[in-house]
Amino acid sequence: MFQMLSDVFVDNPLIVSFALVGITMYIAYFLSDKLTKGRVHGSAIAIILGLLLAYVGGVTTGGEKGLSDVSIFAGIGLMGGGMLRDFAIVSTAFGANFDEIKKAGFSGVASLFIGVVLSFVVGVAIAFAFGYTDAVSLTTIGAGTATYIVGPVTGAAIGASSTVITISIAAGLVKSILTMVGTPFIAKYIGLNNPRSAMVYGGLLGTTSGVAGGLAATNPKLVPYGAVTATFYTGLGCLMGPSVLFLLTKALVG
């Protein structure tokens, strides 16, 4: 019986992944309602549960892809992969109201530049504190702190080593996870309750998956607005990283 079920799961990995996500969401919203009376949004709990499952899967199998290294859950790798992730992120923009986007105006544009530069400076400072002193490594890790996409793009363009590029990706992933989990808890303290503030928030943090996940846990109606500026943030970072930011870093450290 168990062997038959296992064979069915292995032969239909994507269906199993959708079922697993559905069960996880049900449990998350149940815990949100019963344990926190809705104070902690179900999506935030679902994100935490997903991270725990990924950790358990990685530790159990000794693999590198979390739960998808378990054969019956291999579909998680496809469902959570770049193709469906990017499709979901892009599709969120179609739910945005253009009139609300125009209201962001200068503050929305400014948030993009401030967000990229601020994240870069923090990343460079941390990299320097850990002993990296050359411009290529500092720039790559700083760019990775912006997002885990900007880091490898910048590193490849300026000739960074694979080790440094990996570190930049790790820095971006940490930022993305912290944004996902932390957004619902800080939203009410920073006035994150309207499209304009969501756009500024997306522009400042820029990690599209992190912002989208965090806003989904805060208020799903804000996701399109945060995703719009966060997506532009990634493009701006890919332009500035290997050019302006690299040249400025090189001028400072030699």
Side-chain angles (χ1 to χ4, degrees):
M1 180 66 176
F2 288 108
Q3 183 60 45
M4 183 177 66
L5 287 175
S6 178
D7 292 340
V8 171
F9 289 165
V10 172
D11 291 339
N12 300 276
L14 192 57
I15 295 176
V16 173
S17 68
F18 275 100
L20 179 62
V21 170
I23 293 171
T24 302
M25 292 297 294
Y26 176 83
I27 294 173
Y29 277 86
F30 178 82
L31 294 176
S32 172
D33 180 52
K34 299 300 181 181
L35 298 183
T36 72
K37 302 299 182 183
R39 293 185 180 89
V40 179
H41 199 281
S43 295
I45 296 176
I47 291 169
I48 296 173
L49 290 176
L51 293 173
L52 289 174
L53 288 173
Y55 174 78
V56 171
V59 171
T60 303
T61 64
E64 300 177 350
K65 298 180 181 178
L67 197 61
S68 62
D69 282 319
V70 180
S71 59
I72 63 173
F73 299 128
I76 294 290
L78 175 61
M79 186 180 181
M83 180 180 68
L84 290 179
R85 180 203 63 207
D86 293 343
F87 174 78
I89 289 171
V90 171
S91 67
T92 59
F94 288 94
N97 185 321
F98 189 69
D99 290 332
E100 294 291 350
I101 293 175
K102 289 193 294 184
K103 289 179 183 178
F106 175 77
S107 59
V109 176
S111 69
L112 291 171
F113 288 91
I114 294 172
V116 170
V117 173
L118 183 61
S119 293
F120 180 80
V121 170
V122 171
V124 168
I126 294 174
F128 187 81
F130 277 89
Y132 289 94
T133 57
D134 63 289
V136 171
S137 297
L138 290 173
T139 302
T140 302
I141 296 173
T145 309
T147 80
Y148 57 80
I149 295 174
V150 175
V153 169
T154 300
I158 62 179
S161 67
S162 58
T163 301
V164 171
I165 290 176
T166 301
I167 293 173
S168 76
I169 295 172
L173 286 173
V174 170
K175 177 183 177 182
S176 180
I177 292 169
L178 290 176
T179 303
M180 281 185 192
V181 176
T183 299
F185 297 100
I186 66 171
K188 65 179 180 180
Y189 299 107
I190 62 175
L192 188 55
N193 54 15
N194 59 79
R196 183 172 182 175
S197 63
M199 291 187 69
V200 172
Y201 186 70
L204 287 174
L205 291 183
T207 169
T208 311
S209 54
V211 167
L215 289 177
T218 304
N219 183 349
K221 294 181 179 179
L222 299 180
V223 173
Y225 302 100
V228 165
T229 47
T231 302
F232 277 110
Y233 176 108
T234 300
L236 181 63
C238 288
L239 288 173
M240 293 181 64
S243 55
V244 177
L245 297 177
F246 174 59
L247 293 175
L248 288 174
T249 304
K250 191 173 182 179
L252 289 174
V253 302

